[in-house]
Amino acid sequence: MEKIRKNVELTVYTLYNFVRKGNVFMDDYAKKRIHEVIAEAVDGGVTAGISVLVQQGTEEIFYDQQGYADVEAKKKIERDTIYRLYSMSKPVTAAAVMILMERGMLDLCQPVSEILPGFGHLMVEEKDTVRPVRCALTSLHLLNMTSGYTYGGMDTKGGRMILSYLAECIRKLGTEQEVSTTEFAAHLGSIPLAYEPGTSWSYGLSADILGAVVEQVSGMRFGDFLEENIFGPLGMNDTGFYVPRRKQDRLSRVYESTGDGNMRLFSGDHLVIQNRMDHRPAFESGGAGLVSTIDDCCRFARMLAQGGTLDGVKIMNRETVRYMTSGGLTQEQQRAMHEWIGLEGHTYSHLMRIVKDPGMAGTLTECGEYGWDGWLGCYFANLPRRDMTILMMQQKKDAGTYHLTRKIRNLILGA
């Protein structure tokens, strides 16, 4: 009987650790199908090239790279290819804000106008008029995209002003008149909001204002703060706001689909981000400015997955990470987010999507999953219950999370 009891205890212990650590396993069929799906996408002109990485716990359970970083030169995607993150920069900005918060340097509910004077006379559009805001704009509004700032549009006065200002700043790229991070935010303070802060939700320039908040509170340039407090400690040696000359040959080129099964080169600047990424910009965009590799991004994602610490290096406290990755919108704010097709079942908080209702989502997922993507198709997701990180890196114009992303996700999670 004693031998049976010990065998049962051993079996229970083994199963416990199996569940606790996650099922570090992906079947060969799933790996083969992901490889085939990527190959079909490259051959069919859906994307020029893509790398996919899945890590569960401390184990890398899948990696594949296919296609080209430079189609014209027939230069293939490599493990150390550097990508423009665009909006996948936002979670890094949120982490910087969390660090300042937990150090007692930043109160998320403090009016932004007390930190950035350019927001001292903030206005909001109401029907056909513009009036002073009744509710002070805070860093929490910016983190949750409930600030009233958008990426611009022709249907409101503020939207048209944003489009005009973005175009003006793009024209100044590469000149001595480049707008700085703080100057950019200060000008946004003169543009009327689309709605009273906290009353709705809209995707926009909030993270760029937070970059200026970090600068003002820390007394450092935004990029220097990130390097000292996140990139350097985590060993993210290929992450920053530009690509030095010695690494330029690793920077992927950007492509767009022509619609006839081919890809063509895209060399335009977007959201005040220089396409060449060949010098340190004056404007270090908290919403879109970073470049990185798939392994660097994995280190950041795994730091969050492990409660703020990676390989013995502590970036932030476990409670801070829990707060950062478990927020959400009010019912009124959530109604506005429902207009974003593809984020069904999700809410939004701290510059990331968070799954609240897996049954409503358009892909296989689980409650509590969080992450974000970028304009050129870079994508990350952490699934806490599986202790899993999914990363996809590509440079396809107007990609974000699209059909190829979802197909690969479903194959990974279905395995």
Side-chain angles (χ1 to χ4, degrees), residues 90-109 115 138-144 206-215 217 222 225-226 229-230 286 316 320 323-324 350-351:
K90 289 179 170 71
V92 177
T93 298
V97 173
M98 294 295 98
I99 290 169
L100 291 174
M101 180 195 72
E102 75 170 25
R103 291 178 183 174
M105 299 173 68
L106 177 62
D107 170 16
L108 299 186
C109 296
I115 303 170
T138 68
S139 296
L140 188 59
H141 292 135
L142 297 170
L143 283 167
N144 292 342
S206 294
D208 296 295
I209 301 171
L210 284 171
V213 169
V214 171
E215 287 196 338
V217 172
F222 186 41
F225 182 87
L226 295 180
N229 293 278
I230 300 176
M316 65 182 85
T320 304
Y323 169 70
M324 176 181 170
H350 298 91
L351 305 180

Side-chain angles (χ1 to χ4, degrees), residues 107-112 122 133-149 193 195-202 205-207 209-210 323 329 333 348-351:
D107 170 16
L108 299 186
C109 296
Q110 179 183 7
V112 171
L122 202 55
V133 296
R134 299 189 183 99
C135 176
L137 177 69
T138 68
S139 296
L140 188 59
H141 292 135
L142 297 170
L143 283 167
N144 292 342
M145 291 284 182
T146 59
S147 63
Y149 282 103
L193 303 176
Y195 49 81
E196 194 75 30
T199 61
S200 189
W201 181 90
S202 56
L205 293 164
S206 294
I209 301 171
L210 284 171
Y323 169 70
L329 302 174
Q333 296 161 355
Y348 191 91
S349 181
H350 298 91
L351 305 180

Side-chain angles (χ1 to χ4, degrees), residues 113-181:
S113 59
E114 296 179 5
I115 303 170
L116 302 174
F119 290 81
H121 303 284
L122 202 55
M123 307 293 283
V124 61
E125 291 192 53
E126 187 175 61
K127 297 182 180 179
D128 296 326
T129 64
V130 175
R131 61 164 175 80
V133 296
R134 299 189 183 99
C135 176
L137 177 69
T138 68
S139 296
L140 188 59
H141 292 135
L142 297 170
L143 283 167
N144 292 342
M145 291 284 182
T146 59
S147 63
Y149 282 103
T150 69
Y151 272 124
M154 297 304 295
D155 54 340
T156 64
K157 178 181 179 181
R160 293 189 292 273
M161 291 174 69
I162 286 174
L163 290 179
S164 175
Y165 184 57
L166 290 175
E168 176 188 339
C169 292
I170 288 174
R171 286 193 296 271
K172 293 179 179 179
L173 285 174
T175 74
E176 294 181 357
Q177 288 76 46
E178 276 193 5
V179 176
S180 73
T181 307

